[in-house]
Amino acid sequence: MAWTDYSTAPAPGTRVCDLETLGAVAALTVETDKGAFPLLVARDGAQVRAYVNACPHQYLPLNYRGDQLLSADGQMLLCTAHGARFDLGSGEAIDGADCGLDPVPVTVVDGTLVIAG
Ligand code: FES
């Protein structure tokens, strides 16, 4: 399912947070007048990737059972509910799930992370 299929998908240009407040990975909620949208953000320096924070297996947030969302080598995102692993850069499933995470386009404008179009 594409991120835009979620009823709470924020419009392009919606502010997410200041880039400097982000660690390596964060589970955020983007609040708009459409409601709360669950966003998973992974940052490596100035490079940021974002996915809908809903695993494709049970539609649970990846941090459902804790905050250990990165593999030890920092290359994979983990679903804490049952340990499925996803490629950090693409969101594709590595094991434990049949399909990958839904990417959300983001960009940085003047130090602020925003939803892209
Ligand atoms: S419960 Fe999240 S991938 Fe299985």
Side-chain angles (χ1 to χ4, degrees), residues 46-104:
Q47 188 166 44
V48 182
R49 299 186 190 283
Y51 302 96
V52 179
N53 188 14
C55 77
H57 176 209
Q58 297 284 349
Y59 290 101
L60 294 169
L62 270 68
N63 56 323
Y64 185 70
R65 290 185 197 266
D67 294 321
Q68 186 58 50
L69 295 172
L70 270 184
S71 60
D73 65 4
Q75 298 301 305
M76 293 175 282
L77 290 166
L78 310 174
C79 173
T80 58
H82 99 265
R85 300 185 298 168
F86 304 91
D87 182 82
L88 182 71
S90 68
E92 289 178 16
I94 294 172
D95 59 29
D98 290 336
C99 52
L101 302 172
D102 299 321
V104 178

